[in-house]
Amino acid sequence: MQKDYKAMWKELDMNLEAHDGLLGVLTDFYRNIYLSQKNRPDGMKYFDFVISEVHGLRIEEIIEAKKQGRKVIGTFCVYVPEELILAVDGVCIGLCAGAEVGFDEAEKYVPRNTCALIKAFMGFKLAGLCPYVQTTDLIVGETTCDGKKKAYELFDEITNGKMYVMEIPNKKGSDGKTLWTKEVKRFAEKLENLSGRKITLENLKHATKIVNEKRKALQRLSMLRAAEPSPISGLDALLINQVSFYDDPVRFTLKVNELCDELEKRIKQGYGVTEKGIPRILISGSPMAIPNWKLHAITESRGAIIVGEESCVGERNFSTLVDEDFTTIEDALNKISQRYMFINCACFTPNNERLTDIENLAKKLRADGIIHYAIQFCTPYMIEAFKVKKHSEKIGLPFLKIETDYSMEDMGQIKTRVEAFLELIDKGTRD
Ligand code: BJ8
């Protein structure tokens, strides 16, 4: 029997009636998509629990942290350095949303043809349905895509001036890198002022270690998906990556490593979540925020397995670590800033390194095909799909491009296209 959190949600000024409805829908959706999977590892029980308490226990923990004087920082992009937030003992929470919620409200502020990720984070707030945004002391935006940077101006009004925007260069030349390093330092100062805590060498070392360990655990999980048959479904791996943006980082790392121990045993026994020989798919493109499970659910229900995500809810979030070998605060901030410049987002021009990332990942995970996923109206990824397609052809991997939003209306159409794609792979395009 789950605890009653109504008083807490009321205190957070949420719309209780609408929220009840949302939780009901999400619970059913989760049961149908996740709990119906076969051969799930035992270690997934923790993540099922996290999801069942995503607006409950975790929010209670965050409120408790606030009572102890810790600041809560909301983010929308993997460019925002989590190390700095932890260095001032802050709580870092991802605020991106993956459901069609509050869109009518959001469309009073932004055009209908705005990407669903933006409409969703605005919609969740405007409809009084996001307890995370209610707990934040600061919300950090970034100058990545045009949609986000303009929406942040409006979100600042909606949240009564909570926004702080980091300037991310459009290009990664030396001027861009200098600008970014300055921005990282400005953010460090902002956090010191907000929290009243000094960033020291010691707390930077500690924070960097925590975040690196989290990334290493996710890297370990990613490597294990290279096994044939894969010991874990793409749906479950996606969920873990989504949870990485909400959970306490130390506990999360422990649980991912425990799960990986179990997956290693499965691999030794030759035991997988599906039988051997089914098409192995790499997803690449726009991020999939929770509960955006649509493409994974469709693809895996059609007899394939997703073995990786070249995405910010995936590899782009964890594939590089911060060099922990720093001896001064200045050195640490430089190394943190350098690490983030390795994230190859389509918001940069040019962004050819992403093609190399996709190629390496496809090889590492032994993918048989690439599905490029772009959220409708996500211009950077929609356009970059052209280069990814060309590159996939060059390396001999079948390619499928999907543009979709958060609605369920095109489920049938996507199913048909994915089925045809998987047949193509089955007809001998595979090694
Ligand atoms: S580093 S991918 S997390 S900006 S909001 S770009 S879906 S139109 S999220 Fe991103 Fe940082 Fe880049 Fe990663 Fe498209 Fe929508 Fe923009 Fe989006």
Side-chain angles (χ1 to χ4, degrees):
M1 183 65 182
Q2 217 164 11
K3 199 169 154 185
D4 186 354
Y5 294 107
K6 286 216 171 56
M8 176 178 80
W9 293 328
K10 197 161 176 224
E11 187 101 332
L12 290 173
D13 203 18
M14 292 172 61
N15 180 336
L16 292 189
E17 207 180 311
H19 188 249
D20 270 359
L22 174 72
L23 287 190
V25 172
L26 277 183
T27 308
D28 289 347
F29 193 40
Y30 193 75
R31 195 180 304 123
N32 292 340
I33 289 185
Y34 273 90
L35 304 182
S36 63
Q37 294 179 95
K38 296 202 176 77
N39 305 334
R40 294 181 82 209
D42 273 351
M44 284 311 295
K45 289 200 179 104
Y46 170 73
F47 300 95
D48 290 339
F49 174 72
V50 169
I51 294 299
S52 70
E53 290 287 344
V54 72
H55 281 192
L57 196 56
R58 183 64 184 133
I59 298 296
E60 229 176 40
E61 284 182 348
I62 292 172
I63 291 173
E64 193 45 46
K66 278 171 84 81
K67 282 187 191 148
Q68 289 161 15
R70 297 174 66 191
K71 297 293 176 194
V72 179
I73 318 293
T75 64
F76 296 101
C77 178
V78 295
Y79 254 88
V80 178
E82 189 177 351
E83 293 83 355
L84 300 183
I85 296 172
L86 299 191
V88 296
D89 203 23
V91 179
C92 182
I93 295 291
L95 293 178
C96 291
E100 201 174 55
V101 166
F103 277 24
D104 288 347
E105 289 298 311
E107 285 169 13
K108 290 178 188 157
Y109 289 81
V110 294
R112 272 199 88 196
N113 55 0
T114 301
C115 111
L117 189 145
I118 294 170
K119 283 200 279 191
F121 76 67
M122 295 184 83
F124 264 92
K125 164 67 187 159
L126 289 163
L129 292 169
C130 179
Y132 289 98
V133 78
Q134 300 304 90
T135 63
T136 51
D137 297 290
L138 186 76
I139 303 178
V140 188
E142 16 48 58
T143 56
T144 46
C145 68
D146 288 351
K148 268 183 169 178
K149 70 187 172 213
K150 295 312 288 180
Y152 293 145
E153 293 172 22
L154 309 176
F155 209 57
D156 190 48
E157 282 177 25
I158 296 166
T159 58
N160 298 322
K162 276 190 188 176
M163 287 300 307
Y164 171 88
V165 177
M166 297 186 80
E167 186 166 355
I168 297 188
N170 287 171
K171 296 178 79 171
K172 288 183 181 174
S174 58
D175 287 350
K177 286 181 178 162
T178 307
L179 166 77
W180 174 240
T181 303
K182 274 193 190 152
E183 280 299 281
V184 168
K185 291 177 182 166
R186 188 171 72 93
F187 184 47
E189 269 176 41
K190 173 75 188 175
L191 289 168
E192 284 187 329
N193 293 337
L194 178 81
S195 64
R197 291 170 200 253
K198 234 20 240 133
I199 292 186
T200 63
L201 188 61
E202 201 191 359
N203 57 32
L204 266 178
K205 286 243 177 227
H206 183 62
T208 303
K209 180 120 198 106
I210 290 175
V211 185
N212 271 352
E213 290 306 313
K214 175 164 84 164
R215 294 194 181 119
K216 280 187 209 163
L218 289 166
Q219 287 175 359
R220 188 178 166 206
L221 173 66
S222 165
M223 268 313 295
L224 296 172
R225 295 168 78 190
E228 166 78 350
S230 173
I232 185 165
S233 68
L235 267 168
D236 278 338
L238 173 66
L239 185 79
I240 295 166
N241 277 289
Q242 290 172 332
V243 167
S244 73
F245 292 92
Y246 298 87
D247 203 0
D248 172 79
V250 175
R251 180 177 58 206
F252 174 83
T253 303
L254 181 81
K255 292 294 171 186
V256 175
N257 277 321
E258 279 175 14
L259 173 79
C260 289
D261 293 341
E262 184 187 349
L263 300 185
E264 275 171 3
K265 280 190 202 133
R266 281 187 161 202
I267 293 170
K268 269 196 199 123
Q269 294 159 357
Y271 184 70
V273 74
T274 61
E275 74 270 28
K276 260 186 172 173
I278 64 171
R280 300 168 61 85
I281 304 298
L282 174 67
I283 302 282
S284 170
S286 310
M288 294 169 174
I290 208 165
N292 180 0
W293 305 309
K294 183 164 135 182
L295 187 55
H296 280 59
I298 292 176
T299 308
E300 296 200 327
S301 75
R302 292 0 254 171
I305 181 120
I306 290 175
V307 291
E309 295 79 20
E310 188 278 320
S311 162
C312 287
V313 182
E315 293 283 327
R316 288 201 291 268
N317 182 36
F318 58 73
S319 61
T320 45
L321 305 175
V322 172
D323 177 358
E324 290 177 43
D325 188 19
F326 48 76
T327 46
T328 63
I329 295 177
E330 175 78 12
D331 188 19
L333 295 178
N334 287 334
K335 285 188 165 133
I336 288 171
S337 120
Q338 280 161 17
R339 180 264 166 200
Y340 283 84
M341 275 285 138
F342 284 110
I343 301 169
N344 297 319
C345 171
C347 296
F348 288 93
T349 184
N351 186 37
N352 294 326
E353 297 86 348
R354 182 173 163 228
L355 303 177
T356 316
D357 291 347
I358 295 171
E359 181 175 343
N360 291 340
L361 199 54
K363 268 192 203 139
K364 178 185 97 172
L365 300 172
R366 300 193 268 167
D368 300 310
I370 296 174
I371 299 185
H372 192 278
Y373 165 81
I375 300 179
Q376 240 165 40
F377 311 116
C378 171
T379 316
Y381 284 92
M382 280 166 71
I383 293 182
E384 216 163 85
F386 179 83
K387 281 192 176 183
V388 179
K389 180 174 190 278
K390 258 179 80 179
H391 198 75
S392 305
E393 283 164 3
K394 191 173 138 202
I395 59 176
L397 279 181
F399 175 91
L400 174 69
K401 183 177 82 170
I402 299 282
E403 281 169 15
T404 183
D405 55 18
Y406 289 174
S407 78
M408 296 299 147
E409 279 164 21
D410 57 357
M411 290 277 283
Q413 193 203 39
I414 297 177
K415 271 181 196 161
T416 311
R417 293 189 61 213
V418 168
E419 265 169 24
F421 180 64
L422 297 178
E423 266 173 38
L424 178 87
I425 292 177
D426 267 339
K427 276 196 193 120
T429 327
R430 303 170 70 189
D431 290 337

